[in-house]
Amino acid sequence: MRKTLIAAGLLLATPALAACTDNSTGDDSSDGGGDRAFTVASTDDACEVSGAEAPSGALKFEVTNTGSQVTEFYLLAEDGLRILGEVENIGPGVSRSLTVKAPAGDYFTACKPGMKGDGIRNAFTVTQSEDGEKELSASDQELVDEALAGYKLYVRDQSAQLLEKTTQFVELYKAGDKDDEARALYPVARTHWERIETVAESFGDLDPKMDLREADVEEGADWTGWHRLEKDLWPADAGKYKALTPAQRATYADDLLANTQELDDQIQGLDYTVDQLANGSRGLLEEVAAGKVTGEEEFWSHTDLYDFQANVDGARVAFEGVEPIVEKNDPDLADELSTQFDALQVLLDAQREGDGFKLYTDLTPEEIKGLSDAVNALSEPLSRLTAAVV
Amino acid sequence: MAVAGVAGAFAAGRASADGAAGASSALASSYAFRGEHQAGIVTPAQDRLHFAAFDLTTDDRDDVVALLQDWTEAAERMTRGDGAGEVGPVEGDPLLPPDDTGEAIGLPPARLTITFGFGPTFFDKLGLADRRPAALRRLPHFPADVLDPAISDGDLCIQACADDPQVAVHAVRNLARIAFGRAAVRWSQLGFGRTSSTSTTQDTPRNLFGFKDGTANLKAEQEDLVDTHLWVHPDDDAAAGWLAGGSYLCARRINMTIELWDRQPLADQEGFVGRTKGTGAPLTGTAEFDEPDFDAVTGTSPTIPVDAHVRLVHPSVHGGAQMLRRGYNFVDGSTPLGALDAGLFFIAYVRDPDTHFIPIQNTMAKSDALMEYLKVTGSALFAVPPGIAEGEYVGQALFT
């Protein structure tokens, strides 16, 4: 996948986006009433939704912040990643409403007091309903607009979480006596990078500063970013490696954080086109095939499966965003992709350990081959996705 | 000096019985081993390659001179289509192993050329550091290099090219046998299909990305350019006057991630390369040899993308520097993950790697869209001495 052109395209894209969120108190007479209308009370430690089930259609959530911190409210897809809709910046004492079209399925509601972390989540079920389906049947343009708006929210959310966790990681790493904690947070923080890797990489100037592997550094050039810190935290395989001094640690850590901040700043202004979404999905699987399934990405920490899962997450979120369009244009392809995503996920789930994953070096050759075969089985139909949505 | 150049190197005496499969009928059937320059450089690229790097197993200069003399004799015989030894594969004493291994019995010379080179370490091991050219150093680390030391570098190299793979392998096998006790094979590489043309008499072949490769290559017929960009001149390096008339050989084993590439839309593939896949024309032209127009714009973007291969390696952005490429497609089976272990065994001959290879390689490694699908696993640099006259052995000028 071409990186630089995507960047150019992203930067040139016009910010004409049909938002699926509604921060205003404007006209909502057509929005779902009755069993599709809910109230949400967001406090500092709870997220009370007035119901946990609704018929499919346009749902309305009236969110009131009764806590002391600024909060946010999300309706998340079953994977807990894809964002159906969100309202941000709800100050203490303020009410805002979210209207979102939701087909039948399992969801999560989430409040984020303090606007940090994963939020306080509750399961939410949407059941099939005849009148609701009619409401959901959208024009092609509406489908595209919803996909793009949802993806934009997703990328911004992941970027925000990346910034938050990178800030924590950098503090632990600089402390000097908290390396175990830094090592534990490393793959978790990078998950947010890997989920949006194709977007992050589209910033051709930032990506090499943040995510370059040692082998990709030109002779004589300074090596910075995540993997520089990775090697310093996992020097075991590095032979005669000379540990960074506290001052060097601070330099490289601050540099990473500054670049993460800049990335987050830049991402705020990004809008996407539907082909970029589809290409991004394909590109993330290419990242898996090129670096993760071979164990080359996390050369020192061997936490490649975290990245692997995160790339797959990002690819799947992008695919599911455009899935309604694919369903219309090429239903067989939509089925095939869903099936292959599921098959790959089964193999990944088998390698979970605690909250994370086994190290790459603990996988058997047969397990690696199985993962690689599943990546190929998914990547081949995924390479036809863009043509099916444009 | 003996005859030189493509036409002059044609050994007319052997034209009758040969005609190797796959070779253009316009080409000679065998080439003289001796000449102003070594054969196998501007020689029209043959279809097959066996390349071998050797490490010295002796530091005795006389032993090495003897090896070069033995190699010279055997190479000259084999390029004629004869056996490696004086006796022959089946003509000798039944109580002795034959002095030729026999698999080339009945095969034509198949345009075999055998080209010898010296690596940087050759000079240190033989106490010849003061005669080592300044440009002959281990190549620097380039971005995307993931080199396997076991298939990189070497004290000596032999490039054997022929239109018949068995002829090329026969040459390396017999030369390696002759070397035992003095030099041992460090690594070797087979190439099954040429990816460059070195003569205007040849069509441009395709690499494993499916694209024509080497359209803008230096060609034997461009005599002025060849003299300027390919051959070392007597005053290029005060320490290495012996290399005048020779060249530098840059070898890079470039793995292609074939499976990823194959999933790229056609328009993207063409954008990465900057040429169409069908004819090989630049995206701004209609025919293969049209000059690319890097200023052309389609809509708001350059017609040839800013990171297109053809743009980044074009001589116009490298001070006019050109190289003579002589690479080969390779497939060494598959990886443990079932991917093709395949790519391009890149060979380029240049007058000076510091101006004609390293900067271009750095530009490509940093910015080229193709790099997403490339991984360099082997790398080596050799000084290729000039050709030799009758009675001389290859590399003789270095030792006298």
Side-chain angles (χ1 to χ4, degrees):
Chain A
M1 208 185 83
R2 177 179 297 283
K3 290 176 184 175
T4 49
L5 278 198
I6 288 167
L10 288 176
L11 297 169
L12 291 172
T14 51
L17 188 70
C20 68
T21 60
D22 179 9
N23 282 349
S24 73
T25 54
D27 172 30
D28 53 10
S29 56
S30 65
D31 296 334
D35 49 5
R36 292 193 180 88
F38 299 88
T39 59
V40 181
S42 177
T43 68
D44 288 349
D45 53 12
C47 185
E48 287 163 18
V49 185
S50 61
E53 191 176 307
S56 57
L59 312 183
K60 184 178 179 188
F61 298 90
E62 187 71 30
V63 187
T64 305
N65 185 358
T66 54
S68 60
Q69 297 173 287
V70 178
T71 193
E72 298 169 345
F73 177 75
Y74 293 81
L75 184 67
L76 302 169
E78 188 181 6
D79 60 7
L81 294 172
R82 191 160 59 91
I83 300 169
L84 276 286
E86 65 159 17
V87 273
E88 294 177 318
N89 271 323
I90 312 171
V94 173
S95 292
R96 291 186 189 277
S97 71
L98 167 68
T99 302
V100 55
K101 287 180 179 175
D106 294 324
Y107 298 86
F108 291 101
T109 55
C111 299
K112 240 189 234 189
M115 302 190 293
K116 284 188 172 174
D118 286 341
I120 303 159
R121 296 182 176 193
N122 291 297
F124 191 88
T125 307
V126 175
T127 56
Q128 194 86 18
S129 78
E130 218 168 280
D131 59 327
E133 292 311 302
K134 239 178 284 167
E135 209 169 8
L136 288 174
S137 73
S139 71
D140 289 355
Q141 188 54 48
E142 284 168 333
L143 290 177
V144 168
D145 291 344
E146 282 170 20
L148 298 181
Y151 194 68
K152 179 172 179 163
L153 293 176
Y154 170 73
V155 173
R156 284 168 54 171
D157 180 52
Q158 291 302 320
S159 177
Q161 295 195 52
L162 174 66
L163 184 57
E164 181 189 329
K165 295 213 170 80
T166 306
T167 306
Q168 295 165 9
F169 170 76
V170 158
E171 285 311 311
L172 295 170
Y173 175 70
K174 281 161 66 175
D177 58 353
K178 292 181 175 165
D179 281 5
D180 280 342
E181 290 160 77
R183 279 187 279 264
L185 188 55
Y186 172 87
V188 177
R190 277 184 55 76
T191 290
H192 301 292
W193 166 275
E194 296 289 343
R195 281 178 181 155
I196 55 172
E197 188 173 15
T198 47
V199 176
E201 282 183 346
S202 67
F203 298 102
D205 53 340
L206 281 175
D207 176 49
K209 291 182 198 164
M210 297 176 70
D211 198 35
L212 214 57
R213 291 176 289 185
E214 190 171 20
D216 294 331
V217 182
E218 184 182 0
E219 193 159 296
D222 194 22
W223 178 33
T224 62
W226 279 105
H227 297 297
R228 185 79 184 82
L229 276 51
E230 179 204 1
K231 186 176 183 179
D232 198 49
L233 282 169
W234 279 274
D237 295 344
K240 286 182 271 180
Y241 177 74
K242 191 166 171 288
L244 296 182
T245 64
Q248 287 172 315
R249 277 196 171 203
T251 301
Y252 288 113
D254 291 344
D255 178 68
L256 174 64
L257 186 57
N259 286 324
T260 309
Q261 179 66 61
E262 191 185 334
L263 176 70
D264 190 58
D265 293 345
Q266 302 243 23
I267 276 177
Q268 303 307 313
L270 281 191
D271 286 296
Y272 309 90
T273 58
V274 70
D275 57 315
Q276 286 169 349
L277 213 62
N279 283 335
S281 184
R282 170 168 64 93
L284 283 168
L285 255 290
E286 285 177 20
E287 298 289 344
V288 174
K292 278 73 174 192
V293 80
T294 58
E296 289 165 284
E297 178 74 14
E298 304 294 355
F299 192 77
W300 310 104
S301 68
H302 306 302
T303 53
D304 300 272
L305 287 192
Y306 289 78
D307 300 11
F308 192 143
Q309 177 69 63
N311 281 162
V312 172
D313 288 343
R316 185 157 196 158
V317 163
F319 161 64
E320 288 179 347
V322 297
E323 193 174 8
I325 308 166
V326 189
E327 292 276 12
K328 276 190 171 183
N329 296 342
D330 189 346
D332 290 346
L333 179 63
D335 281 355
E336 167 84 7
L337 286 171
S338 291
T339 304
Q340 298 297 352
F341 266 117
D342 289 346
L344 177 57
Q345 192 56 55
V346 167
L347 295 183
L348 274 171
D349 287 343
Q351 304 304 337
R352 287 189 191 274
E353 209 172 67
D355 292 337
F357 287 91
K358 275 190 202 166
L359 297 183
Y360 185 84
T361 40
D362 291 339
L363 300 176
T364 67
E366 292 73 25
E367 287 169 334
I368 294 170
K369 179 69 159 62
L371 286 164
S372 174
D373 290 347
V375 167
N376 281 325
L378 171 57
S379 297
E380 201 56 43
L382 201 55
S383 69
R384 306 200 304 271
L385 180 63
T386 307
V389 298
V390 292
Chain B
M1 281 287 164
V3 288
V6 173
F10 176 40
R14 298 202 50 91
S16 52
D18 302 328
S24 160
S25 58
L27 298 172
S29 55
S30 74
Y31 300 106
F33 181 71
R34 296 173 194 273
E36 182 183 359
H37 309 292
Q38 288 198 63
I41 303 173
V42 293
T43 308
Q46 300 92 327
D47 290 334
R48 323 288 178 184
L49 166 81
H50 193 182
F51 190 99
F54 292 75
D55 282 336
L56 291 174
T57 53
T58 175
D59 56 7
D60 184 316
R61 219 182 284 181
D62 292 340
D63 281 353
V64 174
V65 167
L67 170 64
L68 293 171
Q69 288 167 336
D70 293 349
W71 270 357
T72 299
E73 286 173 26
E76 183 164 30
R77 272 194 295 269
M78 288 191 284
T79 50
R80 283 199 309 260
D82 295 335
E86 289 172 7
V87 180
V90 294
E91 291 82 357
D93 184 341
L95 298 179
L96 287 175
D99 66 1
D100 179 278
T101 53
E103 72 271 29
I105 295 174
L107 296 179
R111 299 202 297 129
L112 173 68
T113 57
I114 301 171
T115 314
F116 296 90
F118 303 137
T121 45
F122 180 83
F123 297 82
D124 301 326
K125 290 185 181 176
L126 295 179
L128 291 167
D130 58 333
R131 307 201 76 183
R132 181 167 60 82
L136 186 65
R137 306 181 307 275
R138 192 167 191 277
L139 288 171
H141 173 87
F142 298 105
D145 275 7
V146 272
L147 303 183
D148 180 352
I151 52 173
S152 295
D153 304 316
D155 296 337
L156 289 153
C157 78
I158 295 176
Q159 172 200 278
C161 298
D163 287 332
D164 184 331
Q166 183 126 330
V167 169
V169 169
H170 170 259
V172 167
R173 174 181 174 183
N174 281 274
L175 294 171
R177 186 181 175 209
I178 289 167
F180 284 126
R182 298 176 287 190
V185 173
R186 177 180 173 89
W187 53 272
S188 84
Q189 177 70 53
L190 288 175
F192 69 82
R194 69 180 171 93
T195 61
S196 294
S197 302
T198 52
S199 165
T200 54
T201 62
Q202 296 182 293
D203 290 334
T204 311
R206 288 179 189 272
N207 60 28
L208 292 181
F209 283 155
F211 278 77
K212 288 190 178 183
D213 204 332
T215 293
N217 204 19
L218 265 184
K219 304 236 167 48
E221 292 80 0
Q222 300 167 317
E223 290 179 13
D224 288 348
L225 291 175
V226 163
D227 188 59
T228 305
H229 295 286
L230 180 60
W231 304 123
V232 174
H233 289 213
D235 50 359
D236 279 3
D237 187 330
W242 61 269
L243 190 58
S247 190
Y248 291 90
L249 187 167
C250 313
R252 309 270 293 164
R253 185 178 186 274
I254 305 174
N255 268 89
M256 296 171 164
T257 44
I258 301 281
E259 291 74 16
L260 287 191
W261 175 265
D262 292 345
R263 292 177 194 134
Q264 305 309 309
L266 176 61
D268 287 11
Q269 293 184 11
E270 293 183 333
F272 299 152
V273 176
R275 294 182 178 277
T276 62
K277 200 167 186 176
T279 63
L283 296 181
T284 52
T286 54
E288 182 188 349
F289 292 99
D290 290 351
E291 269 302 307
D293 176 2
F294 296 121
D295 299 326
V297 169
T298 303
T300 56
S301 306
T303 309
I304 296 176
V306 291
D307 58 354
H309 178 70
V310 68
R311 178 189 290 272
L312 290 171
V313 301
H314 198 266
S316 64
V317 294
H318 294 286
Q322 296 194 48
M323 44 180 114
L324 183 132
R325 280 171 289 162
R326 221 174 185 289
Y328 286 83
N329 295 323
F330 71 86
V331 175
D332 291 350
S334 299
T335 70
L337 296 184
L340 280 179
D341 181 1
L344 170 63
F345 188 74
F346 175 95
I347 296 173
Y349 286 92
V350 295
R351 178 174 170 182
D352 182 353
D354 284 327
T355 54
H356 283 59
F357 179 72
I358 293 171
I360 300 163
Q361 181 58 44
N362 260 323
T363 302
M364 180 176 166
K366 275 191 290 188
S367 311
D368 197 313
L370 287 180
M371 292 308 295
E372 192 85 359
Y373 308 93
L374 302 177
K375 191 160 79 176
V376 179
T377 48
S379 178
L381 179 66
F382 300 96
V384 173
I388 50 169
E390 289 298 332
E392 295 182 339
Y393 61 90
V394 69
Q396 183 167 329
L398 172 61
F399 294 92
T400 52

